[in-house]
Short mmCIF file of all heavy atoms in Angstrom, two decimals:
data_model
loop_
_atom_site.label_atom_id
_atom_site.label_comp_id
_atom_site.label_asym_id
_atom_site.label_seq_id
_atom_site.Cartn_x
_atom_site.Cartn_y
_atom_site.Cartn_z
N PRO A 1 0.57 2.51 5.29
CA PRO A 1 0.08 3.90 5.21
C PRO A 1 -1.05 4.22 6.17
O PRO A 1 -1.24 5.39 6.54
CB PRO A 1 -0.39 4.02 3.75
CG PRO A 1 0.40 3.01 3.00
CD PRO A 1 0.57 1.87 3.96
N TRP A 2 -1.80 3.22 6.60
CA TRP A 2 -2.95 3.48 7.47
C TRP A 2 -2.52 3.86 8.89
O TRP A 2 -3.33 4.41 9.65
CB TRP A 2 -3.87 2.26 7.51
CG TRP A 2 -4.39 1.92 6.15
CD1 TRP A 2 -4.00 0.88 5.35
CD2 TRP A 2 -5.37 2.63 5.39
NE1 TRP A 2 -4.67 0.90 4.16
CE2 TRP A 2 -5.53 1.96 4.16
CE3 TRP A 2 -6.14 3.77 5.65
CZ2 TRP A 2 -6.42 2.40 3.18
CZ3 TRP A 2 -7.03 4.21 4.67
CH2 TRP A 2 -7.18 3.53 3.47
N VAL A 3 -1.27 3.57 9.25
CA VAL A 3 -0.77 3.97 10.57
C VAL A 3 0.38 4.96 10.46
O VAL A 3 0.97 5.35 11.46
CB VAL A 3 -0.33 2.73 11.39
CG1 VAL A 3 -1.51 1.78 11.60
CG2 VAL A 3 0.83 1.99 10.72
N ASP A 4 0.72 5.33 9.23
CA ASP A 4 1.83 6.25 8.96
C ASP A 4 1.38 7.67 9.27
O ASP A 4 0.43 8.18 8.68
CB ASP A 4 2.23 6.12 7.48
CG ASP A 4 3.47 6.93 7.12
OD1 ASP A 4 3.91 7.75 7.95
OD2 ASP A 4 3.99 6.74 6.00
N THR A 5 2.06 8.33 10.21
CA THR A 5 1.67 9.68 10.61
C THR A 5 2.44 10.77 9.89
O THR A 5 2.18 11.96 10.08
CB THR A 5 1.86 9.85 12.13
OG1 THR A 5 3.23 9.58 12.46
CG2 THR A 5 0.95 8.91 12.91
N ALA A 6 3.39 10.40 9.04
CA ALA A 6 4.14 11.38 8.26
C ALA A 6 3.26 11.89 7.12
O ALA A 6 2.24 11.28 6.78
CB ALA A 6 5.43 10.76 7.72
N PRO A 7 3.62 13.01 6.49
CA PRO A 7 2.78 13.57 5.44
C PRO A 7 2.61 12.64 4.23
O PRO A 7 3.52 11.88 3.89
CB PRO A 7 3.53 14.85 5.02
CG PRO A 7 4.41 15.17 6.18
CD PRO A 7 4.80 13.86 6.79
N SER A 8 1.45 12.71 3.63
CA SER A 8 1.13 12.04 2.36
C SER A 8 1.46 10.55 2.34
O SER A 8 2.11 10.06 1.42
CB SER A 8 1.87 12.74 1.21
OG SER A 8 1.55 14.10 1.13
N PRO A 9 0.99 9.78 3.32
CA PRO A 9 1.37 8.37 3.37
C PRO A 9 0.92 7.55 2.16
O PRO A 9 1.64 6.67 1.69
CB PRO A 9 0.72 7.87 4.66
CG PRO A 9 -0.39 8.82 4.93
CD PRO A 9 0.09 10.14 4.44
N HIS A 10 -0.27 7.82 1.64
CA HIS A 10 -0.78 7.03 0.51
C HIS A 10 -0.08 7.42 -0.79
O HIS A 10 0.19 6.56 -1.64
CB HIS A 10 -2.29 7.19 0.39
CG HIS A 10 -3.03 6.62 1.56
ND1 HIS A 10 -3.30 5.28 1.69
CD2 HIS A 10 -3.51 7.22 2.69
CE1 HIS A 10 -3.95 5.07 2.84
NE2 HIS A 10 -4.08 6.22 3.46
N LEU A 11 0.22 8.69 -0.96
CA LEU A 11 0.97 9.12 -2.14
C LEU A 11 2.38 8.55 -2.12
O LEU A 11 2.88 8.05 -3.14
CB LEU A 11 1.01 10.64 -2.21
CG LEU A 11 1.90 11.23 -3.31
CD1 LEU A 11 1.43 10.78 -4.69
CD2 LEU A 11 1.94 12.76 -3.22
N VAL A 12 3.04 8.62 -0.97
CA VAL A 12 4.41 8.10 -0.88
C VAL A 12 4.41 6.59 -1.11
O VAL A 12 5.28 6.06 -1.81
CB VAL A 12 5.03 8.45 0.49
CG1 VAL A 12 6.35 7.74 0.70
CG2 VAL A 12 5.21 9.96 0.60
N ARG A 13 3.44 5.92 -0.56
CA ARG A 13 3.32 4.47 -0.79
C ARG A 13 3.14 4.19 -2.28
O ARG A 13 3.74 3.27 -2.84
CB ARG A 13 2.15 3.93 0.02
CG ARG A 13 1.92 2.43 -0.11
CD ARG A 13 0.73 2.14 -1.00
NE ARG A 13 0.48 0.72 -1.12
CZ ARG A 13 -0.36 0.20 -2.00
NH1 ARG A 13 -1.03 0.98 -2.82
NH2 ARG A 13 -0.53 -1.11 -2.07
N ALA A 14 2.30 4.98 -2.97
CA ALA A 14 2.08 4.79 -4.40
C ALA A 14 3.36 5.02 -5.19
O ALA A 14 3.67 4.28 -6.13
CB ALA A 14 0.99 5.73 -4.89
N ALA A 15 4.11 6.04 -4.82
CA ALA A 15 5.38 6.31 -5.50
C ALA A 15 6.36 5.15 -5.33
O ALA A 15 7.08 4.77 -6.27
CB ALA A 15 5.98 7.61 -4.97
N LYS A 16 6.38 4.58 -4.14
CA LYS A 16 7.25 3.42 -3.91
C LYS A 16 6.75 2.19 -4.65
O LYS A 16 7.53 1.38 -5.15
CB LYS A 16 7.37 3.15 -2.40
CG LYS A 16 8.18 4.21 -1.67
CD LYS A 16 8.50 3.81 -0.24
CE LYS A 16 7.32 3.96 0.68
NZ LYS A 16 7.69 3.73 2.11
N MET A 17 5.43 2.04 -4.73
CA MET A 17 4.85 0.91 -5.46
C MET A 17 5.28 0.92 -6.93
O MET A 17 5.61 -0.11 -7.51
CB MET A 17 3.32 0.95 -5.39
CG MET A 17 2.73 0.38 -4.13
SD MET A 17 2.73 -1.44 -4.06
CE MET A 17 1.37 -1.83 -5.15
N ILE A 18 5.27 2.10 -7.56
CA ILE A 18 5.57 2.15 -8.98
C ILE A 18 7.06 2.17 -9.27
O ILE A 18 7.46 2.06 -10.43
CB ILE A 18 4.84 3.32 -9.69
CG1 ILE A 18 5.29 4.66 -9.15
CG2 ILE A 18 3.35 3.16 -9.57
CD1 ILE A 18 4.66 5.83 -9.90
N THR A 19 7.89 2.29 -8.24
CA THR A 19 9.32 2.10 -8.44
C THR A 19 9.70 0.64 -8.16
O THR A 19 10.34 -0.02 -8.98
CB THR A 19 10.14 3.04 -7.55
OG1 THR A 19 9.72 2.91 -6.19
CG2 THR A 19 9.96 4.48 -7.97
N TRP A 20 9.26 0.12 -7.02
CA TRP A 20 9.55 -1.27 -6.68
C TRP A 20 8.84 -2.23 -7.63
O TRP A 20 9.31 -3.34 -7.90
CB TRP A 20 9.14 -1.57 -5.23
CG TRP A 20 9.24 -3.02 -4.87
CD1 TRP A 20 8.20 -3.87 -4.61
CD2 TRP A 20 10.42 -3.81 -4.77
NE1 TRP A 20 8.67 -5.13 -4.34
CE2 TRP A 20 10.04 -5.13 -4.44
CE3 TRP A 20 11.78 -3.54 -4.93
CZ2 TRP A 20 10.95 -6.16 -4.25
CZ3 TRP A 20 12.71 -4.56 -4.76
CH2 TRP A 20 12.29 -5.86 -4.42
N GLY A 21 7.73 -1.81 -8.19
CA GLY A 21 6.89 -2.70 -8.99
C GLY A 21 7.56 -3.33 -10.19
O GLY A 21 7.10 -4.35 -10.70
N GLN A 22 8.65 -2.73 -10.68
CA GLN A 22 9.30 -3.30 -11.86
C GLN A 22 9.99 -4.63 -11.57
O GLN A 22 10.27 -5.39 -12.49
CB GLN A 22 10.30 -2.31 -12.44
CG GLN A 22 11.58 -2.11 -11.65
CD GLN A 22 12.52 -1.14 -12.35
OE1 GLN A 22 12.09 -0.17 -12.95
NE2 GLN A 22 13.81 -1.42 -12.28
N ALA A 23 10.22 -4.94 -10.30
CA ALA A 23 10.90 -6.20 -9.97
C ALA A 23 10.01 -7.40 -10.28
O ALA A 23 10.47 -8.40 -10.84
CB ALA A 23 11.32 -6.21 -8.50
N ASP A 24 8.73 -7.31 -9.92
CA ASP A 24 7.79 -8.41 -10.16
C ASP A 24 6.40 -7.91 -9.84
O ASP A 24 6.19 -7.23 -8.85
CB ASP A 24 8.13 -9.61 -9.25
CG ASP A 24 7.05 -10.68 -9.29
OD1 ASP A 24 6.92 -11.35 -10.33
OD2 ASP A 24 6.33 -10.83 -8.28
N ALA A 25 5.46 -8.27 -10.70
CA ALA A 25 4.07 -7.83 -10.48
C ALA A 25 3.29 -8.78 -9.58
O ALA A 25 2.45 -8.35 -8.78
CB ALA A 25 3.36 -7.70 -11.82
N GLY A 26 3.55 -10.08 -9.68
CA GLY A 26 2.72 -11.07 -9.00
C GLY A 26 2.68 -10.93 -7.50
O GLY A 26 1.60 -11.01 -6.90
N HIS A 27 3.83 -10.72 -6.87
CA HIS A 27 3.83 -10.68 -5.41
C HIS A 27 3.12 -9.45 -4.88
O HIS A 27 2.77 -9.39 -3.69
CB HIS A 27 5.27 -10.73 -4.87
CG HIS A 27 6.00 -9.42 -4.91
ND1 HIS A 27 6.48 -8.87 -6.09
CD2 HIS A 27 6.32 -8.53 -3.94
CE1 HIS A 27 7.06 -7.71 -5.82
NE2 HIS A 27 6.98 -7.48 -4.53
N GLN A 28 2.85 -8.48 -5.75
CA GLN A 28 2.16 -7.28 -5.30
C GLN A 28 0.66 -7.49 -5.13
O GLN A 28 -0.02 -6.64 -4.57
CB GLN A 28 2.43 -6.13 -6.26
CG GLN A 28 3.90 -5.71 -6.22
CD GLN A 28 4.14 -4.40 -6.93
OE1 GLN A 28 3.90 -3.32 -6.39
NE2 GLN A 28 4.64 -4.48 -8.14
N CYS A 29 0.16 -8.63 -5.57
CA CYS A 29 -1.26 -8.93 -5.35
C CYS A 29 -1.58 -9.05 -3.86
O CYS A 29 -2.45 -8.33 -3.35
CB CYS A 29 -1.65 -10.20 -6.10
SG CYS A 29 -3.33 -10.76 -5.75
N PRO A 30 -0.91 -9.92 -3.09
CA PRO A 30 -1.20 -9.95 -1.64
C PRO A 30 -0.82 -8.66 -0.93
O PRO A 30 -1.47 -8.27 0.05
CB PRO A 30 -0.38 -11.14 -1.14
CG PRO A 30 0.67 -11.37 -2.17
CD PRO A 30 0.05 -10.98 -3.47
N ILE A 31 0.22 -7.98 -1.43
CA ILE A 31 0.59 -6.69 -0.85
C ILE A 31 -0.55 -5.70 -1.03
O ILE A 31 -0.93 -4.98 -0.10
CB ILE A 31 1.88 -6.17 -1.52
CG1 ILE A 31 3.08 -7.06 -1.14
CG2 ILE A 31 2.13 -4.71 -1.15
CD1 ILE A 31 3.44 -7.03 0.32
N SER A 32 -1.12 -5.67 -2.23
CA SER A 32 -2.22 -4.75 -2.52
C SER A 32 -3.45 -5.07 -1.68
O SER A 32 -4.11 -4.17 -1.14
CB SER A 32 -2.56 -4.82 -4.01
OG SER A 32 -3.64 -3.98 -4.32
N MET A 33 -3.80 -6.35 -1.58
CA MET A 33 -4.99 -6.71 -0.81
C MET A 33 -4.81 -6.41 0.68
O MET A 33 -5.77 -6.02 1.36
CB MET A 33 -5.34 -8.18 -1.04
CG MET A 33 -5.87 -8.45 -2.44
SD MET A 33 -6.62 -10.08 -2.64
CE MET A 33 -5.20 -11.14 -2.44
N THR A 34 -3.61 -6.56 1.18
CA THR A 34 -3.35 -6.24 2.59
C THR A 34 -3.46 -4.75 2.83
O THR A 34 -3.95 -4.30 3.88
CB THR A 34 -1.96 -6.77 3.00
OG1 THR A 34 -1.90 -8.19 2.75
CG2 THR A 34 -1.67 -6.52 4.46
N TYR A 35 -3.04 -3.96 1.86
CA TYR A 35 -3.23 -2.51 1.92
C TYR A 35 -4.72 -2.16 1.89
O TYR A 35 -5.21 -1.34 2.67
CB TYR A 35 -2.51 -1.88 0.72
CG TYR A 35 -2.84 -0.44 0.44
CD1 TYR A 35 -2.54 0.57 1.34
CD2 TYR A 35 -3.43 -0.08 -0.78
CE1 TYR A 35 -2.82 1.90 1.06
CE2 TYR A 35 -3.71 1.25 -1.07
CZ TYR A 35 -3.40 2.23 -0.16
OH TYR A 35 -3.68 3.55 -0.44
N ALA A 36 -5.44 -2.82 0.99
CA ALA A 36 -6.82 -2.44 0.71
C ALA A 36 -7.80 -2.91 1.77
O ALA A 36 -8.91 -2.36 1.89
CB ALA A 36 -7.24 -3.00 -0.65
N VAL A 37 -7.46 -3.92 2.55
CA VAL A 37 -8.41 -4.52 3.48
C VAL A 37 -8.74 -3.63 4.67
O VAL A 37 -9.81 -3.73 5.26
CB VAL A 37 -7.90 -5.89 3.98
CG1 VAL A 37 -6.82 -5.73 5.04
CG2 VAL A 37 -9.04 -6.74 4.53
N VAL A 38 -7.83 -2.73 5.02
CA VAL A 38 -7.97 -1.99 6.27
C VAL A 38 -9.27 -1.19 6.36
O VAL A 38 -10.01 -1.30 7.35
CB VAL A 38 -6.73 -1.10 6.51
CG1 VAL A 38 -6.95 -0.17 7.72
CG2 VAL A 38 -5.50 -1.97 6.73
N PRO A 39 -9.63 -0.35 5.37
CA PRO A 39 -10.88 0.41 5.51
C PRO A 39 -12.12 -0.47 5.59
O PRO A 39 -13.10 -0.11 6.26
CB PRO A 39 -10.90 1.31 4.28
CG PRO A 39 -9.92 0.72 3.33
CD PRO A 39 -8.90 0.03 4.14
N ALA A 40 -12.09 -1.62 4.90
CA ALA A 40 -13.24 -2.53 4.98
C ALA A 40 -13.29 -3.19 6.36
O ALA A 40 -14.38 -3.32 6.96
CB ALA A 40 -13.15 -3.59 3.89
N LEU A 41 -12.15 -3.61 6.89
CA LEU A 41 -12.11 -4.28 8.19
C LEU A 41 -12.59 -3.37 9.31
O LEU A 41 -13.11 -3.84 10.33
CB LEU A 41 -10.70 -4.78 8.47
CG LEU A 41 -10.52 -5.73 9.66
CD1 LEU A 41 -11.29 -7.03 9.43
CD2 LEU A 41 -9.04 -6.03 9.90
N ARG A 42 -12.47 -2.08 9.11
CA ARG A 42 -12.88 -1.13 10.14
C ARG A 42 -14.39 -1.13 10.36
O ARG A 42 -14.87 -0.52 11.32
CB ARG A 42 -12.40 0.28 9.77
CG ARG A 42 -10.89 0.44 9.98
CD ARG A 42 -10.38 1.79 9.51
NE ARG A 42 -8.95 1.95 9.81
CZ ARG A 42 -8.21 2.98 9.41
NH1 ARG A 42 -8.77 3.96 8.70
NH2 ARG A 42 -6.93 3.06 9.73
N HIS A 43 -15.14 -1.82 9.51
CA HIS A 43 -16.57 -1.99 9.75
C HIS A 43 -16.84 -2.95 10.91
O HIS A 43 -17.99 -3.08 11.33
CB HIS A 43 -17.27 -2.48 8.47
CG HIS A 43 -17.42 -1.41 7.44
ND1 HIS A 43 -18.51 -0.57 7.39
CD2 HIS A 43 -16.60 -1.01 6.44
CE1 HIS A 43 -18.37 0.28 6.39
NE2 HIS A 43 -17.22 0.03 5.79
#
């Protein structure tokens, strides 16, 4: 989402997260941290 130029990238990502999320919760931990690291790394 941080490089997605289409409308509402974070909302669309969230909608996909809560649909795909039913398959397994555990693997979404590294997925979430990789999403979350970008604004901090920009320091």
Side-chain angles (χ1 to χ4, degrees):
W2 300 106
V3 299
D4 186 349
T5 57
S8 302
H10 295 279
L11 173 60
V12 171
R13 181 256 181 191
K16 289 190 284 187
M17 278 283 284
I18 63 176
T19 53
W20 172 249
Q22 72 178 37
D24 171 70
H27 80 286
Q28 293 192 80
C29 173
I31 292 295
S32 178
M33 290 193 293
T34 303
Y35 167 64
V37 77
V38 172
L41 191 63
R42 286 175 176 174
H43 285 271

